[in-house]
Amino acid sequence: MDAIKRYVRSPAAVLGLVLLLGIIAMAISAGHVYPRDPLALAGRPLIWPFSNPRFLLGTDNSGRDIAAQIFYGARISLLIGGAATLIAIAIGILVGALAGFYGGWVDTVLMRITEAFQTLPNFVLLLVLVAVFGSTLTTVTIAVGVVSWPAPARLTRAEFLSLRNREFVQAGRTLGMKDAQLILGEILPNALPPVIVYASVVMAVAILLESALAFLRLSDPNVASWGNLIGLGRDVLRVQWYVSAIPGIAILVTVLAVSLVGQGLNDALNPRLRGR
Amino acid sequence: MRILSLAGRRLAASIPTLVLILIGVFLLLQFAPGDTVDAMMAQMGGGDAATARELRRFYGLDLSVPAQLGNYLWRLIRLDLGFSSIYGKPVATVILERLPPTILLMTASLSFAFFFGLVFGVIAARQFNKWPDTLISTLGLIFYATPSFWFGLMAIVVFSIYLQWLPAGGFEDIGAVQSGVFRILDIARHLILPTLTLGLIFLAIYLRIMRASMLEVLNLDFVRTARAKGLDETRVVTRHVLRNAMLPMVTLIGLQAGTMLGGSVVVESVFSLPGLGRLAYESVIQRDLNTLLGIVFVSALLVIVVNFIVDLLYARLDPRISMEG
Amino acid sequence: MDLTRLDISRRTALLTSAAIAANVVNPLRAFAQETPRKGGVFNVHYGAEQRQLNPSIQASTGVYIIGGKIQENLVDLDANGQPVGVLAESWEASPDGKTVTFKLRKGISWHDGKPFTSDDVAFTAMQMWKKILNYGSTLQLFLTSVDTPDPQTAIFRYERPMPLNLLLRALPDLGYVSAKHLYENGDIRQNPTNLAPVGTGPFKFVKYERGQYIIADRNPDYWRPNAPYLDRIVWRVITDRAAAAAQMEAGELHYSPFSGLTISDMARLSKDKRFTVSTRGNEGNARTNTLEFNFRRKELSDIRVRQAIAHAINVPFFIDNFLGEFARIGTGPIPSTSTDFYPGPNTPQYTYDKTKAAALLDEAGFKPGAGGTRFSLRLLPAPWGEDISLWSTFIQQSLSEVGIPVEIVRNDGGGFLKQVYDEHAFDLATGWHQYRNDPAVSTTVWYRSGQPKGAPWTNQWGWDDARVDKTIDDAATEIDPVKRKALYAEFDKAVTTELPVWMPIEQIFVTVITAKARNHSNTPRWGSTSWHDLWLSA
């Protein structure tokens, strides 16, 4: 297919894909490479990277193996990134589709709600949600998803607004198709591509939001996440800066990978850039 | 006059949104475990039940939730933001005190991000697919992917501790009492690292948008026409392309205003800046409902105002767009 | 100035403080020979902003660090930890213990010029200490009145005997005096003076820029001759501990009190000649790390399970590897720094023994099930310290090795207090117990039954023991110091055997201060005292 060919022609996009696959590989193989609980006491705290063959990346201030936490942390970041993105996209598509398709007062009400969420600084809302519902993995994921849905909603709505008056939709109507069929069967498949591409942005932001929460010590302490490690490393930043630096780089690479893939998809699926 | 009436109408249209936000946050915080008295007890390091009861009565927390909400909304209509339980001062006073650092930080970061995003975006677009473009785009992505707090901490380690070029935090030098130009320079010095930290992500975003936008416009008919007419390339870019390419950038400012305030929470905490972001964080932790709602109200207003200005700018940049539409 | 002599003296001080002697180390001879330098600005790290600055209505180090320089107490502690008069010159208790008479110093005036009299003491005691001050209300529960026959005499009348040494031990923290003429009208809590305090102390309040700094200047009319030496004190609000350490190293801060920096930074700066890092001067602020058990969980109500949990955690390893030189093994709720009440190390100890722990758990009937799990627990750590966070992780790691998976539940300050002490929604909790010079002030409430639901740092475990209650009550009203000490020794033994709350780690706050400071850390609660003799060398 054309799109795939266009995608692989861009070195940046390929790099992104390779990195992302690498991170996914880390997540999958974590159990094999590091069979012990990554949060268990592995050795003395604050061992430097490369100084002890048992701990390739050293240990953190609780005596836990940093390399193990990087591997297992990949799971958490991908999980939170993925799940939160799914939640945000799902809510966004629902709201946007209904608003764009029906228009009128449905649109007005839904857009007011969307505007409300967008006007409220999303990090403040995140803080409030975490203060109310706690800091477990589930609540953090849902909270991040909940603060991220307005942009996909607007995007979907814009697509629906432009597509709902097209001929194929009119045709469907004359054929007696019900609203639900029209929305799900006809319009949505055409509206999805830009939203899917935007999903990469949502995912990148979701990963960054979770790490910011962990930095403020508001995330789930019972899982090995990169953000938690950065937060922990804050206390030893001056000398053992690697405790914060290593997971920071991991986040950077992941977000980079996701963004590159998203950009690659955008360029590949966007016909207007053809011929460059 | 037209602008004023437009502004008025825009504000009126935003009222439902504002009320929705305030009620939403108010109700949400009711479910948080512990109230402002519990937070106070935590701070005091001790306390007995009688004290707690007294304090709850004092802060009006012994009323029912609908009654509290009603009280709050009624005060709001009279533009009274209430009393802050943490600071013992009216919320309006507290917010006004903390507003300047945040506004300064946001303006500086926005300007930094917009200006450099513009410049580098144009360069990248002009040198499309050549090495300057690749370099700029890669750097942009790296900035985008870097967690801001991590960058801030590393910046402190490098610039404040090892190089000792810049202060490690705070808004201004307290020891020496300064005024006028010196004070401004001192504050500016303190804001360099925070601005860089907060602005870096937005720089990356503006860069990308500008580049994409320029690429699109550079290909449009009227540009080809201008080139065909024999107009010098720089003139083509500055007079025709830029104006149109900037439209998405300007829109973005409106969308990013809220995100920036959120980002300032972390930056203000790392650099010990006495701004609204940290105030918001503290009021969530201490369950100071009035202050939190006050901040939400003010920041929502800020976003609405910024969006309004953005729309005005948009209309000026693109005459095809009418404000009424 | 012989710098090498000073350096060696400092190292000696560090070593002795690491051993945490029971007595306060006397101010070293070397410094007594220097002439104090007048002048200078002292910059203090202020890590957590308080809601107000008046120590008469809030008992916490976060208030004393500022309010204690502006307002003064009736009595303070001297270098040896013994009560010494500040606003009070002398005192006398009646034989039945129901009357304590204070003779106040003459010629003292408030910062606004009005004279300080016994009326101020009476007003503060009855309206603030008794009604508003946390822990003050418990201490002064049986205070019925304060008579003021003349401006220099205040007679405290109690309906039950008040042990004099309890009162004198508690007054340094719970005995700050406020000006009656500024508070007598209106609501005390709402009074704006709370944010712009007026006192009799060596420094006068100048300015409070919320979120940034507080400034106080030298009081030229201070009643002590030739005091204070400093011109000005500036407290800088810096919430991020790494940033505070950076500012200390950049020379922008002189002093970080009460373990205000991270453990790793404190360890690093202790090797830096520009700074003095020690626990000296904080012996009055000893605290213990707790492990609180919720008896409402069937498993935890069995003493064998609690003992097993204690045996499963390697406390010495934790202290050595994570807390460094600033902590030591605790022996119970009364810390070793308490010269008057420490009963000695002969209370039951729980040495690290995983086999014994497993055996106890088996014996109690909780054998490992599928996947080696016996039962799981939820642990709520208090959010106020790096050490608490490390300790809770260590508990989680240790208990998982004996088949008890632990889930850590994070909360912010208000949420933590609510969940643990009000809703009892915890299995295990860990935080700090602050010992305030006398067990009756803030220690026995952790064990005495009958505490109202929702009162933080009190017995909310669902445990009570009538025998322990009686011992506590008797000791609170026992006038003979020897008998009192014996009663508290009995109390200590009983609670370390029953283990409703385990207090295995003892810590003293750490001071990080510039090597240029003189006359610092010379009393057991130095960070909270008035600093009238503090000076900075060139």
Side-chain angles (χ1 to χ4, degrees):
Chain A
M1 297 152 53
D2 272 343
I4 297 185
K5 276 209 218 120
R6 273 200 299 275
Y7 186 92
V8 299
R9 220 182 287 155
S10 159
V14 173
L15 175 68
L17 192 62
V18 167
L19 285 174
L20 193 59
L21 288 172
I23 292 163
I24 296 176
M26 262 209 301
I28 296 178
S29 65
H32 296 289
V33 183
Y34 293 102
R36 271 190 84 201
D37 178 8
L39 294 180
L41 189 69
R44 294 207 178 272
L46 299 173
I47 298 177
W48 271 79
F50 309 124
S51 66
N52 182 326
R54 273 211 302 154
F55 308 114
L56 224 57
L57 293 174
T59 57
D60 66 11
N61 19 348
S62 279
R64 308 191 282 216
D65 188 347
I66 292 183
Q69 290 188 73
I70 296 292
F71 268 70
Y72 280 91
R75 289 187 184 177
I76 302 298
S77 292
L78 289 174
L79 187 72
I80 292 186
T85 305
L86 271 168
I87 294 173
I89 300 281
I91 302 178
I93 289 181
L94 183 68
V95 170
L98 290 174
F101 187 79
Y102 288 111
W105 66 265
V106 173
D107 182 26
T108 315
V109 167
L110 286 175
M111 276 303 104
R112 285 277 169 266
I113 298 179
T114 312
E115 219 179 88
F117 269 84
Q118 270 184 314
T119 317
L120 184 60
N122 64 348
F123 198 69
V124 175
L125 180 59
L126 197 57
L127 284 179
V128 173
L129 285 172
V130 170
V132 172
F133 295 109
S135 296
T136 62
L137 202 59
T138 327
T139 46
V140 169
T141 310
I142 297 178
V144 172
V146 164
V147 304
S148 308
W149 68 260
R154 280 202 185 255
L155 213 59
T156 313
R157 175 180 175 268
E159 289 292 311
F160 265 72
L161 276 177
S162 84
L163 286 171
R164 74 176 169 175
N165 292 318
R166 294 277 186 85
E167 309 84 44
F168 68 94
V169 176
Q170 312 277 29
R173 248 189 255 273
T174 37
L175 280 174
M177 281 178 125
K178 297 220 195 50
D179 282 350
Q181 272 178 296
L182 280 171
I183 295 178
L184 292 171
E186 300 295 319
I187 308 183
L188 200 57
N190 289 289
L192 270 184
V195 183
I196 298 296
V197 170
Y198 192 73
S200 70
V201 177
V202 178
M203 185 158 177
V205 172
I207 295 177
L208 287 172
L209 279 176
E210 189 273 330
S211 71
L213 269 185
F215 173 74
L216 291 174
R217 295 178 231 256
L218 293 172
S219 190
D220 191 341
N222 300 298
V223 295
S225 84
W226 294 337
N228 271 330
L229 205 51
I230 297 184
L232 210 64
R234 226 177 137 181
D235 291 331
V236 293
L237 194 66
R238 279 297 312 279
V239 182
Q240 289 96 359
W241 47 266
Y242 60 86
V243 180
S244 281
I246 295 175
I249 295 176
I251 294 180
L252 199 156
V253 169
T254 309
V255 173
L256 193 71
V258 169
S259 305
L260 284 174
V261 168
Q263 204 167 297
L265 279 175
N266 187 37
D267 289 345
L269 294 172
N270 187 340
R272 280 189 286 178
L273 285 176
R274 207 176 295 177
R276 290 200 156 258
Chain B
M1 267 306 111
R2 242 185 85 230
I3 292 189
L4 274 177
S5 80
L6 281 171
R9 272 200 282 162
R10 174 63 72 87
L11 205 60
S14 317
I15 288 182
T17 315
L18 274 174
V19 173
L20 208 64
I21 296 176
L22 289 172
I23 295 183
V25 176
F26 182 93
L27 289 175
L28 201 54
L29 261 179
Q30 296 304 316
F31 292 101
D35 58 20
T36 194
V37 174
D38 291 311
M40 227 178 132
M41 293 280 166
Q43 249 201 0
M44 291 204 297
D48 46 59
T51 317
R53 253 196 323 270
E54 246 303 297
L55 284 170
R56 290 210 165 88
R57 203 192 51 77
F58 174 68
Y59 287 121
L61 291 169
D62 52 347
L63 299 168
S64 70
V65 172
Q68 287 184 47
L69 180 57
N71 276 341
Y72 184 80
L73 289 173
W74 175 234
R75 277 201 308 266
L76 196 61
I77 293 176
R78 293 173 291 157
L79 288 177
D80 173 10
L81 288 172
F83 206 72
S84 162
S85 57
I86 310 180
Y87 296 97
K89 278 196 254 191
V91 172
T93 317
V94 176
I95 291 183
L96 276 169
E97 282 172 9
R98 306 277 278 232
L99 205 56
T102 302
I103 300 263
L104 270 174
L105 180 65
M106 281 179 57
T107 315
S109 304
L110 205 68
S111 315
F112 165 77
F114 190 86
F115 179 70
F116 284 102
L118 196 101
V119 167
F120 288 117
V122 168
I123 296 178
R126 293 283 304 275
Q127 310 282 339
F128 180 66
N129 271 347
K130 301 203 204 95
W131 72 261
D133 175 27
T134 321
L135 180 67
I136 292 176
S137 300
T138 314
L139 275 178
L141 270 175
I142 293 182
F143 290 155
Y144 178 73
T146 310
S148 60
F149 51 90
W150 182 79
F151 180 82
L153 287 174
M154 297 294 150
I156 292 181
V157 171
V158 171
F159 290 104
S160 304
I161 297 178
Y162 282 124
L163 293 173
Q164 303 219 344
W165 287 351
L166 295 166
F171 188 56
E172 53 183 330
D173 219 349
I174 314 163
V177 180
Q178 288 153 333
S179 55
V181 181
F182 292 112
R183 185 155 182 248
I184 295 178
L185 283 174
D186 182 46
I187 295 180
R189 213 174 140 249
H190 279 86
L191 283 180
I192 293 179
L193 286 181
T195 304
L196 213 70
T197 308
L198 188 59
L200 227 54
I201 295 193
F202 299 102
L203 168 67
I205 297 176
Y206 288 128
L207 181 78
R208 229 184 331 158
I209 299 289
M210 191 65 200
R211 175 182 174 276
S213 179
M214 282 282 292
L215 287 174
E216 276 209 32
V217 174
L218 276 172
N219 234 21
L220 291 176
D221 290 335
F222 77 92
V223 175
R224 291 212 210 109
T225 317
R227 284 205 188 108
K229 276 207 255 175
L231 281 177
D232 147 62
E233 189 67 17
T234 321
R235 270 192 88 195
V236 171
V237 170
T238 45
R239 287 198 77 193
H240 298 267
V241 180
L242 213 56
R243 211 166 190 229
N244 289 282
M246 263 183 36
L247 292 172
M249 290 276 276
V250 170
T251 321
L252 208 59
I253 297 178
L255 288 175
Q256 298 290 3
T259 320
M260 229 184 210
L261 195 69
S264 72
V265 172
V266 169
V267 172
E268 285 175 18
S269 134
V270 171
F271 291 98
S272 311
L273 291 172
L276 276 187
R278 242 180 69 205
L279 186 63
Y281 174 73
E282 277 169 44
S283 46
V284 171
I285 301 287
Q286 304 239 32
R287 310 277 189 271
D288 186 355
L289 213 58
N290 286 337
T291 308
L292 183 65
L293 289 173
I295 295 176
V296 167
F297 181 68
V298 166
S299 66
L301 269 179
L302 210 73
V303 172
I304 293 172
V305 164
V306 169
N307 273 304
F308 182 66
I309 296 178
V310 160
D311 283 343
L312 282 176
L313 275 173
Y314 209 84
R316 295 228 45 205
L317 284 174
D318 187 349
R320 289 177 296 168
I321 295 172
S322 137
M323 273 300 293
E324 331 272 336
Chain C
M1 208 179 297
D2 189 341
L3 278 169
T4 37
R5 234 168 94 223
L6 288 174
D7 286 338
I8 295 172
S9 315
R10 288 224 184 278
R11 271 187 214 113
T12 320
L14 262 172
L15 288 170
T16 26
S17 70
I20 305 179
N23 282 322
V24 177
V25 176
N26 280 320
L28 300 162
R29 294 279 165 236
F31 303 146
Q33 290 161 15
E34 294 177 283
T35 334
R37 183 181 82 106
K38 280 206 170 227
V41 177
F42 192 59
N43 291 313
V44 181
H45 171 209
Y46 185 39
E49 266 188 294
Q50 301 294 313
R51 295 195 183 192
Q52 59 91 39
L53 302 174
N54 184 350
S56 307
I57 59 175
Q58 185 174 334
S60 71
T61 47
V63 174
Y64 303 142
I65 189 72
I66 299 168
K69 324 300 174 251
I70 300 172
Q71 289 177 249
E72 291 184 298
N73 37 15
L74 283 179
V75 166
D76 208 330
L77 297 177
D78 70 8
N80 295 314
Q82 297 306 310
V84 63
V86 179
L87 290 177
E89 237 174 10
S90 63
W91 46 82
E92 196 180 351
S94 66
D96 65 358
K98 290 190 184 170
T99 313
V100 182
T101 308
F102 287 97
K103 283 269 184 253
L104 306 171
R105 232 172 265 277
K106 286 208 229 320
I108 299 183
S109 47
W110 296 98
H111 292 149
D112 62 358
K114 303 257 190 336
F116 161 73
T117 68
S118 55
D119 279 340
D120 297 309
V121 176
F123 177 83
T124 311
M126 295 304 292
Q127 302 305 323
M128 296 187 183
W129 299 348
K130 189 171 162 69
K131 291 195 186 162
I132 304 178
L133 182 62
N134 50 316
Y135 296 121
S137 42
T138 322
L139 179 74
Q140 310 290 6
L141 191 58
F142 301 114
L143 177 68
T144 50
S145 66
V146 180
D147 298 337
T148 57
D150 64 70
Q152 261 70 50
T153 310
I155 306 177
F156 283 64
R157 298 199 189 280
Y158 293 90
E159 49 180 349
R160 286 203 207 164
M162 165 61 84
L164 186 62
N165 72 346
L166 165 58
L167 188 62
L168 293 176
R169 283 268 173 300
L171 281 179
D173 272 358
L174 305 178
Y176 281 91
V177 185
S178 294
K180 176 179 180 189
H181 62 276
L182 293 172
Y183 281 95
E184 56 189 337
N185 297 315
D187 192 327
I188 292 177
R189 271 188 264 259
Q190 289 244 54
N191 196 319
T193 316
N194 290 332
L195 283 168
V198 170
T200 59
F203 295 93
K204 289 167 82 150
F205 174 82
V206 171
K207 195 173 189 213
Y208 184 179
E209 204 58 76
R210 201 89 214 195
Q212 292 197 61
Y213 57 81
I214 303 174
I215 302 180
D217 278 345
R218 184 170 183 279
N219 176 10
D221 304 314
Y222 186 52
W223 57 269
R224 281 189 224 254
N226 290 324
Y229 297 116
L230 295 169
D231 279 337
R232 163 177 282 203
I233 305 179
V234 177
W235 292 266
R236 297 187 176 208
V237 179
I238 302 169
T239 47
D240 185 78
R241 270 124 56 95
Q247 291 211 16
M248 280 212 80
E249 287 181 277
E252 293 169 34
L253 278 181
H254 292 121
Y255 167 52
S256 179
F258 306 127
S259 301
L261 306 181
T262 64
I263 295 174
S264 127
D265 279 332
M266 291 196 291
R268 190 167 49 81
L269 292 183
S270 71
K271 302 187 181 64
D272 189 325
K273 281 206 289 261
R274 296 174 293 165
F275 305 104
T276 306
V277 179
S278 92
T279 53
R280 196 169 75 91
N282 291 322
E283 297 82 358
N285 288 111
R287 68 185 189 283
T288 60
N289 288 72
T290 62
L291 185 54
E292 302 153 41
F293 297 100
N294 192 347
F295 282 60
R296 298 170 189 87
R297 267 298 288 265
K298 177 187 68 150
E299 294 90 341
L300 298 175
S301 61
D302 187 327
I303 187 172
R304 288 169 296 193
V305 173
R306 299 196 298 279
Q307 290 171 336
I309 289 178
H311 282 295
I313 302 177
N314 191 346
V315 178
F317 177 84
F318 177 70
I319 293 178
D320 284 335
N321 286 290
F322 295 89
L323 296 183
E325 55 179 304
F326 303 118
R328 71 188 321 220
I329 301 182
T331 54
I334 301 177
S336 56
T337 54
S338 180
T339 40
D340 291 325
F341 296 103
Y342 183 54
N346 299 322
T347 46
Q349 297 305 307
Y350 299 91
T351 47
Y352 175 57
D353 190 337
K354 256 182 14 178
T355 338
K356 187 166 183 190
L360 280 168
L361 287 167
D362 286 337
E363 197 189 306
F366 300 108
K367 293 209 168 28
T373 306
R374 300 176 194 265
F375 54 89
S376 64
L377 295 173
R378 291 170 77 237
L379 168 64
L380 270 64
W384 12 97
E386 188 192 347
D387 57 319
I388 297 179
S389 163
L390 290 169
W391 175 231
S392 56
T393 310
F394 191 71
I395 294 174
Q396 183 186 45
Q397 291 166 332
S398 309
L399 292 185
S400 77
E401 307 235 327
V402 292
I404 306 178
V406 169
E407 183 200 340
I408 296 179
V409 181
R410 262 194 187 141
N411 283 104
D412 53 40
F416 170 77
L417 290 185
K418 182 104 188 164
Q419 302 262 48
V420 176
Y421 300 101
D422 194 353
E423 296 179 6
H424 307 143
F426 71 105
D427 299 325
L428 296 173
T430 174
W432 288 340
H433 146 249
Q434 306 254 25
Y435 178 74
R436 293 183 160 90
N437 291 318
D438 187 301
V441 179
S442 52
T443 304
T444 49
V445 285
W446 283 75
Y447 299 93
R448 178 83 176 66
S449 67
Q451 304 295 332
K453 185 166 175 279
W457 303 294
T458 59
N459 177 352
Q460 299 290 336
W461 334 128
W463 169 82
D464 57 75
D465 185 322
R467 210 171 46 102
V468 170
D469 284 349
K470 182 160 188 314
T471 315
I472 292 175
D473 291 342
D474 288 343
T477 50
E478 174 57 62
I479 314 226
D480 179 352
V482 174
K483 286 201 200 130
R484 235 183 131 224
K485 181 169 180 178
L487 280 169
Y488 282 121
E490 211 183 295
F491 153 78
D492 195 76
K493 184 137 188 261
V495 299
T496 38
T497 314
E498 266 302 302
L499 224 55
V501 181
W502 187 35
M503 301 201 178
I505 300 172
E506 186 183 291
Q507 296 195 64
I508 296 182
F509 283 120
V510 179
T511 291
V512 180
I513 194 167
T514 170
K516 292 193 188 153
R518 301 281 182 270
N519 282 345
H520 70 86
S521 308
N522 51 11
T523 78
R525 58 185 291 274
W526 183 74
S528 307
T529 56
S530 63
W531 297 352
H532 61 91
D533 57 349
L534 174 67
W535 58 278
L536 282 170
S537 71

